[in-house]
Amino acid sequence: MIGISAAIGAHGALGSALIDIGWVVLGYFVVVNGFYAVLLALAVVDMRRHRLTVRGAPLWRLLASEAAPSLSVLTPAHNEGRTVAASVRALLTLRYPDLEIVVVNDGSTDDTLEVLCREFDLVEIHNIFRRVIPTRPVRALFRSRINPNLVVVDKDNGGKADALNAGLNIATGDLVCAIDADTLIEGEALLRMVRPFVMDADVVAAGGTICVANSSLVCHGRVVDARVPSKWLSGVQVVEYMRAFLFGRLGWNRAGGNLIISGAFGLFRRAAMLDAGGYVHDSVGEDMELVADIRRRGLEHGGPARVVFVPDPVAWTEVPDHIGTLGRQRERWQRGLCDVLWRHRKLLFNPRYGALGMIVYPYFLFVELLAPVIEGVGLVSLAVAIALGEAGLGFAGLFLLLAYGLGLALTAFTLLMEQLSFDRYRRGADKLRLLLWALLEPVGYRQLTVLWRLRGLVRYLGRRTDWGAMSRRGFQAADEALLPGAGSSAA
Amino acid sequence: MHHALLLILLAEAAVLTVCVVFGVTHAVVSSLMRRREETAERELRPVLARWLTEGDPADGERLCRLPRSVLSRLLGGLVHQLDGPQRDRLVVLAVRTGLAGRAERLARSASWWRRLRGVRLLSVIGGDPDLLERSLVDPVAEIRMAAAEWAVVQPTDAVIDRLIEMLGDPHALPRYAVQDALLRLGGRILPRLTAFLEEEAAAAPGAERERLLEPALEVACAICDARMLKPALAVAGAPSPRVRARAAELLGALGGGDATAALTSLLDDGSAEVRRAAARSLGKLGHWPAAPALASRLRDPDFEVRRAAGLALRSLRGPGQVMLHRMVSDRDRFAADMARQVLELPEGSLKELTA
């Protein structure tokens, strides 16, 4: 008898706890989505201003002026012998008046260096440069005879961060653009990206939009025909990337500045990067760490500290289309986020850092980092509440539908914004496919990302620091002979 | 609670429906318009080419049928590549189609983005000079920038003076556009720029003066005329290291006995930036009597100065190389190291490194 009443009592206590959790989750849901709505509104305002400003602007003429800042593109290459020549050729054709390409051969064991020497007629030069950032030893420096703005650094293997740091020591541009070897940059992207640096001396870094290149046609290292993938996993990522960049990052331009610039395509003031000591070696989120560090230093020392997102310069990248690979990538991103937030914990609610400490950092902590925990707890407690009869199926269904609808409304707004401003996918079939992926993305895929992020959080707490294996399929070439990324490369 | 949730759900459904309907309508309409414009452009491109080369009035009439958006795009793309009568014909076309009048109306609008659009169009086809001068002092930085581009099309003395004053614009973008405009105007700005530099060299030092002088010296360096020697020598003693460094660059571009003497004394300047600029300039000028002074800069505490001095010595050829060989056994390890590294440089990379 006592046991039954104890069980009933425990059941009642659990029920009330579940209800309390439900309210907390609901409150969190309202606050977060309210913030998303604010970000979206800010993104719309910023996009309108941006479009009105750049419409009819003779970019190519003004930014191709002698007065334009010099720019170095850094690209690390490790065992990229099959694709490196095409990638470098694509970089050499980027439109920018004072452009230097620095390719860092990070201890490749294949014929990467030989291919570069052969294709670009490299000649060894003496390595007179200031080693501002310590790196693994630089074996040799080369300059191309046929493209004197191409510099190749041959160094011992030290990983992506070390390779970028070596490139940073050697680069001579006022601005530095760090890209992944498998990133395809649009021809005018650099001209567009430089604009905020020319406009505002307080801008220290800028990021551009990353689009999904899976299924798009690629020719000479350029996406010549943008298409929406027909496969579910890469298709939903198109929608996800669009939402993340067009309203997530654009909105932050007016809400305290960005904390993230994609490692695949970002532009920085070289002096600020050197002051920050370049990329850290012991973090899986080295690109975010650099941005946070540069902003923090800028605010501490009164230097430039604005990090902006420019929506129109586009780089295309191949996203994982295998669920295991994607899971590892998202888990790594979450570990990187944890690491960066921990390293810069003194920013939290610190008025000295202005909006960075009072809005941006708390958002990344309470929304980006903890959202999967709250979302996970919410889903589990809802399931338990239904099982115990504490919540009706109708109510639970309505709540889930509401959450689904809200996410969908945000996505629909983003898609509309993309169409009104850039309209990259012009075929009717692609637009319909995009709509389909937008409808499907909140079901299944969103829950999977919650799981991966939770796993990342747990593994970060377990001190795991590896990158996880990544595999890529390669771009779909318009002309097989011009295929730039047919092989596989380690991310 | 149920009721509230249902209401929110209905609102979400409404938002979604509006987005989808608007998106689909926009896609259809913009696709139709694009097709229409592409067809018109394709048909009239050969007519435009004929009009530009032959100027047949019948072709002009046909071109007036082009949609304004297409015409302004074609103008923007072509006008900078054309000159003489062909450019004039393009401007005539803009006037006949009412594009020029519309651009002037837009440039007078109260709304910033309309003004920007108007000034951008006028920067291509030209327009009322008063409007240009007014646009150069517009409160919106982007409009001042577009007006600076327009100034290249219609440069008067007053406009050039205003452009030079704008080198001290508080916003970076117009400053940049003005620098570009002045560079494009080239020799035409020479008398006004020289007069400005002389005035500024004689003026009392101050932050405002330095903010103007630095970009003005950069422009002067690119234009490079012997008349600028006097003001360059005067500002070589300015209190701001950045101004002194730019002056050193200008002196390096100008050359001559007075310039090399000033550059040699700037090698002992307190600022590393100035010493570096002086060393580079002496190297560029190939002024071999400065070799001993450059060699002593190999012991400079600043890496960039040592590097610039080493490269300058290398580009002096004979006398410089003798000094470099001597410095290889210098007691200062850093000086010896730099001398060795510079001597080992392959000949081909020198031009690139000293540029």
Side-chain angles (χ1 to χ4, degrees):
Chain A
M1 197 62 185
I2 293 166
I4 292 169
S5 61
I8 291 168
H11 184 269
L14 182 63
S16 80
L18 284 173
I19 288 166
D20 289 345
I21 290 171
W23 282 112
V24 170
V25 172
L26 188 66
Y28 179 84
F29 176 78
V30 169
V31 170
V32 168
N33 282 289
F35 196 83
Y36 283 158
V38 172
L39 270 185
L40 181 63
L42 293 173
V44 170
V45 172
D46 210 60
M47 178 67 92
R48 182 177 176 272
R49 165 107 204 171
H50 179 77
R51 295 298 297 170
L52 288 173
T53 307
V54 300
R55 187 170 61 177
L59 250 190
W60 59 272
R61 223 223 25 76
L62 182 68
L63 290 172
S65 141
E66 277 181 51
S70 53
L71 196 155
S72 302
V73 175
L74 307 184
T75 177
H78 177 69
N79 291 344
E80 310 259 358
R82 280 185 63 198
T83 60
V84 73
S87 303
V88 172
R89 269 196 205 102
L91 291 176
L92 286 166
T93 57
L94 288 174
R95 291 181 68 178
Y96 196 78
D98 193 355
L99 181 68
E100 176 188 57
I101 310 290
V102 181
V103 181
V104 186
N105 176 38
D106 190 30
S108 297
T109 48
D110 68 350
D111 60 347
T112 301
L113 186 63
E114 289 73 24
V115 169
L116 285 168
C117 286
R118 189 178 62 234
E119 296 289 325
F120 300 100
D121 194 8
L122 299 182
V123 57
E124 189 168 351
I125 54 171
H126 201 288
N127 48 356
I128 303 179
F129 64 92
R130 188 191 256 175
R131 287 168 180 82
V132 181
I133 307 168
T135 62
R136 301 273 294 144
V138 171
R139 298 174 196 151
L141 272 185
F142 301 88
R143 191 180 286 278
S144 165
R145 278 202 191 97
I146 46 176
N147 297 98
N149 60 333
L150 171 65
V151 176
V152 175
V153 184
D154 183 32
K155 65 178 279 291
D156 289 354
N157 181 257
K160 186 185 163 190
D162 194 65
L164 285 170
N165 285 341
L168 201 52
N169 279 334
I170 282 142
T172 57
D174 300 325
L175 305 174
V176 167
C177 179
I179 62 159
D180 285 348
D182 55 357
T183 301
L184 308 174
I185 302 180
E186 285 191 349
E188 288 193 347
L190 293 177
L191 285 176
R192 294 178 201 280
M193 192 100 122
V194 163
R195 199 182 151 81
F197 292 91
V198 176
M199 273 173 73
D200 186 353
D202 194 37
V203 170
V204 72
T209 305
I210 307 288
C211 286
V212 174
N214 302 44
S215 296
S216 294
L217 283 183
V218 174
C219 181
H220 291 297
R222 298 269 183 282
V223 170
V224 290
D225 188 9
R227 287 181 191 166
V228 177
S230 51
K231 284 185 181 169
W232 169 72
L233 199 57
S234 35
V236 290
Q237 285 180 84
V238 174
V239 174
E240 190 191 21
Y241 271 59
M242 215 178 260
R243 201 179 46 228
F245 283 94
L246 274 190
F247 103 76
R249 298 203 184 165
L250 190 58
W252 279 113
N253 278 356
R254 284 173 184 260
N258 275 276
L259 196 63
I260 297 181
I261 283 184
S262 171
F265 185 40
L267 192 59
F268 299 83
R269 283 197 196 276
R270 186 169 65 100
M273 283 178 105
L274 291 173
D275 283 348
Y279 292 89
V280 291
H281 292 236
D282 55 345
S283 174
V284 287
E286 78 288 340
D287 37 10
M288 186 182 175
E289 208 289 324
L290 179 68
V291 175
D293 202 25
I294 285 178
R295 284 199 71 182
R296 190 175 56 79
R297 280 168 188 270
L299 290 167
E300 281 170 357
H301 302 118
R306 273 193 72 204
V307 174
V308 295
F309 171 74
V310 197
D312 48 3
V314 168
W316 297 81
T317 191
E318 189 196 359
V319 296
D321 59 0
H322 181 264
I323 207 143
T325 315
L326 181 65
R328 283 192 291 277
Q329 183 197 54
R330 295 309 161 92
E331 182 206 311
R332 177 166 54 80
W333 287 2
Q334 187 72 2
R335 278 189 284 134
L337 178 67
C338 295
D339 184 44
V340 174
L341 292 179
W342 176 250
R343 282 171 193 254
H344 297 279
R345 58 192 175 277
K346 76 169 181 178
L347 294 174
L348 183 64
F349 295 126
N350 191 336
R352 184 184 174 197
Y353 299 101
L356 178 65
M358 303 304 285
I359 306 170
V360 183
Y361 188 96
Y363 168 84
F364 275 88
L365 179 65
F366 295 117
V367 179
E368 293 291 332
L369 188 79
L370 294 180
V373 178
I374 310 280
E375 219 171 314
V377 168
L379 283 172
V380 170
S381 60
L382 193 64
V384 175
I386 292 168
L388 293 176
E390 293 289 338
L393 265 177
F395 177 80
L398 200 61
F399 184 77
L400 286 176
L401 205 60
L402 190 89
Y404 171 80
L406 205 56
L408 201 59
L410 285 173
T411 306
F413 248 109
T414 314
L415 297 187
L416 191 61
M417 198 155 88
E418 201 279 339
Q419 185 177 308
L420 295 179
S421 37
F422 304 115
D423 202 12
R424 286 192 186 101
Y425 302 101
R426 294 200 164 173
R427 282 193 191 84
D430 282 323
K431 287 184 200 296
L432 286 177
R433 215 176 276 158
L434 209 54
L435 195 63
L436 174 73
W437 297 138
L439 289 168
L440 292 181
E441 191 244 2
V443 187
Y445 179 73
R446 186 80 63 82
Q447 291 70 31
L448 270 176
T449 58
V450 168
L451 268 179
W452 293 326
R453 287 161 73 188
L454 275 174
R455 199 170 65 190
L457 197 61
V458 170
R459 291 197 173 162
Y460 172 74
L461 296 172
R463 300 275 165 220
R464 194 169 155 177
T465 54
D466 62 301
W467 275 58
M470 293 284 291
S471 64
R472 295 191 193 276
R473 197 177 285 273
F475 299 113
Q476 188 178 339
D479 178 347
E480 281 300 316
L482 305 166
L483 189 72
S488 64
S489 61
Chain B
M1 190 67 179
H2 259 78
H3 188 64
L5 289 182
L6 270 173
L7 274 178
I8 300 172
L9 204 61
L10 274 174
E12 285 173 358
V15 166
L16 205 62
T17 312
V18 168
C19 280
V20 171
V21 170
F22 190 69
V24 170
T25 314
H26 176 267
V28 172
V29 171
S30 62
S31 162
L32 288 174
M33 278 177 65
R34 202 163 41 229
R35 213 169 291 169
R36 189 183 135 232
E37 286 183 358
E38 278 169 7
T39 312
E41 197 178 324
R42 202 170 36 245
E43 281 173 5
L44 292 174
R45 259 183 189 277
V47 183
L48 179 66
R50 216 164 44 226
W51 157 259
L52 289 175
T53 47
E54 295 162 16
D56 184 353
D59 289 333
E61 288 302 320
R62 283 188 69 189
L63 286 168
C64 287
R65 293 207 307 266
L66 266 178
R68 270 185 187 158
S69 53
V70 177
L71 190 62
S72 57
R73 197 170 59 236
L74 283 174
L75 278 176
L78 281 175
V79 85
H80 292 299
Q81 298 160 32
L82 299 174
D83 209 354
Q86 289 172 344
R87 190 192 157 95
D88 294 343
R89 273 184 207 132
L90 218 51
V91 174
V92 166
L93 189 64
V95 174
R96 277 172 63 178
T97 51
L99 198 66
R102 185 164 173 261
E104 290 207 353
R105 277 197 304 282
L106 284 171
R108 288 192 172 91
S109 166
S111 138
W112 72 269
W113 60 271
R114 284 206 178 95
R115 284 205 307 283
L116 180 61
R117 235 175 122 190
V119 174
R120 278 203 180 131
L121 273 171
L122 291 171
S123 73
V124 172
I125 54 183
D128 180 4
D130 289 342
L131 191 56
L132 165 61
E133 283 188 43
R134 209 187 313 160
S135 303
L136 284 170
V137 289
D138 195 280
V140 179
E142 278 89 359
I143 297 176
R144 294 201 296 280
M145 182 193 94
E149 286 187 53
W150 178 3
V152 180
V153 185
Q154 288 173 277
T156 59
D157 282 354
V159 165
I160 291 171
D161 284 343
R162 177 69 207 137
L163 284 178
I164 293 171
E165 276 170 40
M166 281 175 73
L167 285 169
D169 196 285
H171 286 89
L173 195 62
R175 274 206 307 272
Y176 172 81
V178 164
Q179 234 176 330
D180 175 62
L182 291 171
L183 287 172
R184 285 169 64 205
L185 285 169
R188 200 154 179 180
I189 65 160
L190 202 60
R192 315 302 302 176
L193 185 64
T194 312
F196 169 80
L197 285 174
E198 277 170 356
E199 272 171 37
E200 287 300 314
E208 181 62 28
R209 177 180 170 243
E210 282 162 15
R211 211 173 60 188
L212 272 167
L213 263 175
E214 205 189 324
L217 285 166
E218 278 172 5
V219 173
C221 195
I223 293 171
C224 184
D225 186 275
R227 275 171 282 180
M228 285 165 179
L229 182 63
K230 205 176 132 196
L233 287 168
V235 291
S240 158
R242 293 184 71 89
V243 171
R244 291 202 301 279
R246 296 296 88 76
E249 282 163 11
L250 178 56
L251 289 169
L254 295 171
D258 290 342
T260 48
L263 284 170
T264 311
S265 64
L266 283 175
L267 280 177
D268 297 319
D269 194 278
S271 156
E273 190 184 355
V274 181
R275 296 198 297 276
R276 186 171 70 227
R280 279 172 65 110
S281 291
L282 284 166
K284 258 188 205 168
L285 289 171
H287 184 61
W288 64 265
L294 283 169
S296 70
R297 281 296 123 221
L298 283 173
R299 299 192 193 100
D300 198 281
D302 186 90
F303 172 90
E304 295 295 345
V305 178
R306 291 201 299 275
R307 184 175 190 262
L311 291 170
L313 281 169
R314 178 78 196 262
S315 55
L316 295 183
R317 306 220 168 246
Q321 298 219 15
V322 168
M323 283 293 173
L324 281 171
H325 281 292
R326 198 177 291 167
M327 290 303 286
V328 166
S329 51
D330 196 82
R331 262 192 290 174
D332 184 322
R333 196 165 57 87
F334 294 106
D337 202 29
M338 184 56 75
R340 192 176 307 111
Q341 286 184 342
V342 171
L343 279 170
E344 286 172 11
L345 274 173
E347 193 64 35
S349 63
L350 257 183
K351 203 175 163 189
E352 193 69 31
L353 287 165
T354 51

